[in-house]
Amino acid sequence: FMRGRVFDICEKDTGQYNDVQQCFWASGAAFFVRSKVYHELGGFDDFFFAHQEEIDLCWRIQLAGYQIYSCPASVVYHVGGGTLPRGNSLKTYLNFRNNRIMLSKNLPFSRKLLVVPVRYFLDAVSAWKGLLSGDGGYFIAIFRAHLAFIKWWLFYRKKSVFPASRKGGLLGYYPKNVAWQHFVKKRNTFSEIVRKTT
């Protein structure tokens, strides 16, 4: 979910997002950060390996009081799926595992009480949908991701990079459920979702 992309739907670029704007996270494929900030906050969390490590870092950057901006004047060519191609079970595993870890590290406790149960439910729906459509590998990858999250929590959590502070605010954070907006309310573009939140 980002400007120009909602799940697998990428909008045609007609210049609709050509304004510089503060955002929640910047893609690791086109990411610049001051070295002082990067090192001060512990950099990328090595445990992630790949997928969502830049979102985790951007979240910690904002919690520390810094800001993230999009820079649409820049042009970046990115080979999508260069690390792991679409449909790869390891990619599914890392996305689900790392997202759970990222939420656990960065959400305040009060938000976790609401978000975590909903997230478990949505992950289960996604896993069963994959299994029923004949993709057993997808189902197993999500199941393995949840087991790996528990293992991380029990044995590796202390080695992860947690927010250095929580003095900053979060801009560009979408407080509603994107899956609900997209799959149930059939909103397929970033603009439709962020402007129509009812």
Side-chain angles (χ1 to χ4, degrees), residues 51-77:
H51 296 286
Q52 301 188 29
E53 70 280 4
E54 77 270 48
I55 305 172
D56 175 65
L57 177 58
C58 287
W59 199 337
R60 288 185 280 119
I61 286 171
Q62 288 195 79
L63 288 173
Y66 299 104
Q67 298 173 343
I68 313 292
Y69 279 88
S70 66
C71 182
S74 62
V75 176
V76 176
Y77 295 95

Side-chain angles (χ1 to χ4, degrees), residues 19-84:
D19 56 322
V20 173
Q21 192 172 98
Q22 195 168 353
C23 56
F24 185 69
W25 64 282
S27 171
F31 182 92
F32 286 86
V33 60
R34 293 184 188 276
S35 61
K36 173 189 174 291
V37 174
Y38 181 86
H39 293 295
E40 174 189 328
L41 301 179
F44 293 119
D45 189 327
D46 290 341
F47 192 85
F48 279 48
F49 166 64
H51 296 286
Q52 301 188 29
E53 70 280 4
E54 77 270 48
I55 305 172
D56 175 65
L57 177 58
C58 287
W59 199 337
R60 288 185 280 119
I61 286 171
Q62 288 195 79
L63 288 173
Y66 299 104
Q67 298 173 343
I68 313 292
Y69 279 88
S70 66
C71 182
S74 62
V75 176
V76 176
Y77 295 95
H78 174 48
V79 178
T83 305
L84 294 166

Side-chain angles (χ1 to χ4, degrees), residues 162-176:
F162 280 77
S165 75
R166 293 189 179 273
K167 65 182 179 184
L170 299 176
L171 289 176
Y173 173 79
Y174 182 69
K176 307 255 182 190

